[in-house]
């Protein structure tokens, strides 16, 4: 097995990714770009090797590729992973070769106090720098990313979500591949915002996470879901499954636009699915990283809740000012205090939600692949996929490293990038 090649998508420099053979993985975390020195040589007998079936391009990957983080050149990308188990560590008891599984993007040991409380997004044992870890991501311990043909996954018995039927899983693979991150992340945003039957909700951002959040609010019973963005193509995608929309490039007064839809300039709940690369509203507005946080406090009713699955970082070399470079933003915290808002931040604890969302997919209750416009591409097309996604394409690009998805679903992807 060790003689097999392993093509992977690697961050090269700002604005560029490339394909490299990184070598077939084994059950040890080797040194490499971004690997914490304290993690080098870490034995992973509790892990498995996956043959990757589907791995998705995420907006969080784009932050690194744009040069907006301290990610080192050569970092293997990819934290949204679905695959088939091809090798099992000696300490793995319940996961077997041939299983098709979803990998939560949070790496979690299952043994620390936080994991025992379902806070798998802040595991204490996988990242020497701070709580929490993820595959292929800057300052997350250096666990190798999964936009590749094969990938090492630690703590397999605890972490992996096994699909009960392989044929059924492959029939639903474009939905199930969203379980590793964006569907639970969007759902976490909706749950954190307190969405319930009859809620009126504003979702900031019509990228894949924002669309997943909007769909999640519908699953939870929201009466009206309003999605705001600067990109009309992405807003059209939001309207395709029943959302109201606001084009914030054309209209800079969000409260006024909400009032035209609801009759009042406020909503019960709001979700920030944008994060630290936020733009101001209006035609000539530039980057203004606190815009979304301030606007959702402004338009959420007193006593309302704010879900914040959008990514914020402590290191942004491309930020607009010195404060923002270290994650210090000019937030109207006094407004939030005056309105007694509750808000939840941080990575999503995927394992808290993924099994229930899997059931919703298998029962056809959730239609997440249609919501995010899942588009299958080959691993060779990944660099172009990154460019198109960065340009605002209203698609969720699903990398199919071995052609498994295209073969099973009988897809023609000759013009998928176009």
């Amino acid at each position: 097995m060790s003689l097999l090649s392993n093509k992977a998508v690697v961050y090269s420099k700002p604005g560029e990714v490339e394909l490299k053979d990184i070598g077939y993985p084994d059950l040890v975390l080797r040194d490499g770009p971004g690997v914490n020195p304290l993690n080098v040589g870490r034995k992973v007998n509790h892990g498995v090797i996956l043959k990757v079936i589907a791995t998705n391009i995420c907006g969080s990957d784009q932050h690194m590729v744009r040069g907006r983080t301290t990610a080192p050149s050569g970092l293997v990308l990819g934290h949204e992973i679905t695959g088939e188990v091809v090798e099992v560590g000696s300490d793995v008891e319940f996961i077997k070769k041939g299983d098709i599984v979803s990998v939560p993007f949070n790496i979690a040991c299952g043994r620390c106090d936080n994991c025992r409380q379902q806070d798998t997004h802040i595991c204490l044992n996988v990242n020497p720098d701070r709580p929490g870890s993820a595959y292929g991501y800057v300052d997350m311990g250096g666990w190798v990313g999964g936009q590749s043909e094969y990938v090492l996954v630690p703590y397999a018995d605890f972490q992996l979500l096994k699909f009960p039927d392989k044929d059924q899983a492959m029939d639903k693979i474009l939905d199930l591949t969203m379980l590793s991150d964006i569907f639970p992340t969007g759902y976490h945003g909706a749950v954190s915002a307190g969405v319930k039957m009859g809620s009126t909700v504003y979702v900031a951002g019509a990228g894949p996470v924002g669309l997943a959040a909007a769909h999640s609010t519908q699953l939870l019973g929201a009466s009206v879901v309003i999605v705001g963005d600067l990109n009309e193509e992405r807003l059209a995608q939001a309207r395709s499954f029943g959302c109201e929309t606001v084009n914030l490039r054309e209209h800079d007064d969000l409260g006024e636009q909400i009032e035209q839809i609801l009759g009042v300039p406020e909503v019960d709940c709001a979700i920030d699915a944008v994060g630290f690369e936020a733009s101001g509203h209006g035609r000539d507005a530039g980057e203004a990283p606190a815009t979304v946080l301030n606007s959702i406090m402004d338009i959420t009713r007193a006593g309302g809740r704010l879900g914040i699955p959008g990514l914020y970082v402590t290191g942004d070399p491309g930020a607009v000012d010195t404060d923002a470079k270290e994650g210090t933003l000019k937030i109207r915290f006094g407004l939030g205090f005056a309105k007694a808002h509750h808000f939840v931040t941080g990575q999503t604890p995927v394992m808290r939600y993924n099994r229930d969302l899997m059931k919703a997919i298998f029962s056809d209750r959730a239609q997440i692949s249609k919501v995010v416009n899942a588009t299958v591409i080959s691993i060779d097309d990944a660099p172009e996929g990154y460019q198109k996604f960065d340009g605002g394409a209203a698609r969720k690009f699903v990398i199919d490293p071995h052609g498994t998805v295209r073969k099973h679903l009988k897809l023609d992807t000759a013009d998928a990038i176009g």
Side-chain angles (χ1 to χ4, degrees):
M1 294 290 282
S2 62
L3 297 178
L4 288 175
S5 64
N6 187 19
K7 189 183 294 185
V9 182
V10 173
Y11 169 62
S12 177
K13 61 183 179 180
E16 290 187 16
V17 301
E18 60 182 333
L19 298 174
K20 281 189 175 181
D21 185 349
I22 62 171
Y24 187 82
D26 55 17
L27 297 172
V28 177
L29 182 54
R30 305 296 186 185
D31 197 5
V35 180
N36 189 297
L38 296 175
N39 263 350
V40 173
R42 190 166 179 165
K43 295 181 180 180
V44 192
N45 295 327
H46 44 68
V48 299
I49 307 298
L50 296 185
K51 180 181 180 180
V52 177
I53 293 174
T55 175
N56 315 324
I57 298 176
C58 180
S60 298
D61 298 320
Q62 289 285 18
H63 294 309
M64 291 186 289
V65 174
R66 293 186 191 117
R68 296 300 297 268
T69 71
T70 56
S73 178
L75 184 74
V76 181
L77 299 168
H79 55 270
E80 301 189 14
I81 308 164
T82 306
E84 179 183 359
V85 178
V86 294
E87 188 174 336
V88 177
S90 59
D91 292 344
V92 178
E93 185 176 359
F94 303 110
I95 296 296
K96 307 298 182 184
K97 288 184 182 180
D99 289 345
I100 296 180
V101 296
S102 177
V103 184
F105 80 88
N106 324 110
I107 300 173
C109 71
R111 301 160 184 174
C112 70
D113 288 344
N114 287 348
C115 284
R116 290 175 187 275
Q117 296 179 64
Q118 287 194 308
D119 290 330
T120 53
H121 57 311
I122 44 174
C123 175
L124 300 174
N125 289 330
V126 289
N127 182 359
D129 285 332
R130 60 174 182 258
S133 189
Y135 302 88
Y137 212 83
V138 59
D139 296 331
M140 287 292 180
W143 298 90
V144 179
Q147 284 176 15
S148 55
E149 295 175 298
Y150 300 91
V151 66
L152 164 66
V153 175
Y155 302 105
D157 278 331
F158 174 66
Q159 291 195 106
L160 294 180
L161 176 64
K162 175 184 172 181
F163 301 137
D165 182 275
K166 293 175 67 172
D167 290 335
Q168 185 186 28
M170 288 306 302
D171 290 344
K172 293 281 191 180
I173 194 65
L174 291 184
D175 295 288
L176 296 173
T177 189
M178 306 305 165
L179 290 174
S180 56
D181 182 358
I182 67 161
F183 197 8
T185 294
Y187 193 81
H188 179 61
V191 170
S192 300
V195 177
K196 60 183 181 180
M197 186 63 65
S199 294
T200 57
V201 188
Y202 174 71
V203 179
V209 170
L211 297 174
H215 186 43
S216 297
T217 68
Q218 293 173 331
L219 294 174
L220 290 168
S223 60
V224 181
V225 185
I226 305 169
V227 179
D229 202 285
L230 305 168
N231 181 321
E232 183 55 39
E233 182 184 351
R234 289 183 168 182
L235 290 173
Q237 183 64 25
R239 289 193 292 272
S240 74
F241 60 96
C243 298
E244 301 285 345
T245 61
V246 174
N247 188 322
L248 294 167
R249 195 174 300 283
E250 301 293 335
H251 308 284
D252 59 4
D253 190 328
L254 177 57
E256 180 180 291
Q257 297 307 306
I258 289 175
E259 185 171 19
Q260 290 184 12
I261 295 168
L262 297 178
V264 292
E266 64 181 14
V267 291
D268 297 319
C269 323
I271 301 168
D272 172 4
V274 177
F276 72 102
E277 286 192 70
S279 172
H281 300 165
R283 282 194 170 275
D284 300 320
E287 187 171 315
T291 297
V292 172
L293 293 172
N294 287 329
S295 65
I296 62 175
M297 285 192 288
D298 187 48
I299 55 89
T300 301
R301 66 172 178 82
R305 292 179 176 266
L306 316 175
I308 309 174
L311 177 67
Y312 289 87
V313 295
T314 57
D316 175 10
V320 294
D321 57 48
T322 301
D323 285 340
K325 286 182 178 180
E326 61 176 22
T328 301
L329 308 181
K330 295 180 179 178
I331 299 170
R332 295 186 63 195
F333 192 77
L335 175 61
F337 182 90
K339 298 178 79 172
H341 283 156
H342 296 250
F343 64 91
V344 176
T345 66
Q347 293 183 18
T348 296
V350 170
M351 293 179 67
R352 196 178 296 175
Y353 308 109
N354 61 353
R355 187 172 300 277
D356 289 340
L357 294 176
M358 176 187 72
K359 294 176 184 177
I361 288 170
F362 281 135
S363 68
D364 293 325
R365 180 82 174 98
Q367 306 289 333
I368 188 65
S369 65
K370 293 180 181 178
V371 163
V372 301
N373 194 15
T375 302
V376 180
I377 61 174
S378 71
I379 195 167
D380 291 326
D381 286 333
E384 190 174 356
Y386 268 92
Q387 292 179 357
K388 293 291 185 180
F389 189 44
D390 190 45
R395 303 181 184 187
K396 177 69 171 177
F397 287 110
V398 177
I399 299 171
D400 180 13
H402 299 277
T404 310
V405 175
R406 286 165 290 177
K407 182 178 179 180
H408 185 86
L409 299 181
K410 298 179 174 59
L411 298 177
D412 179 7
T413 58
D415 61 348
I417 290 289

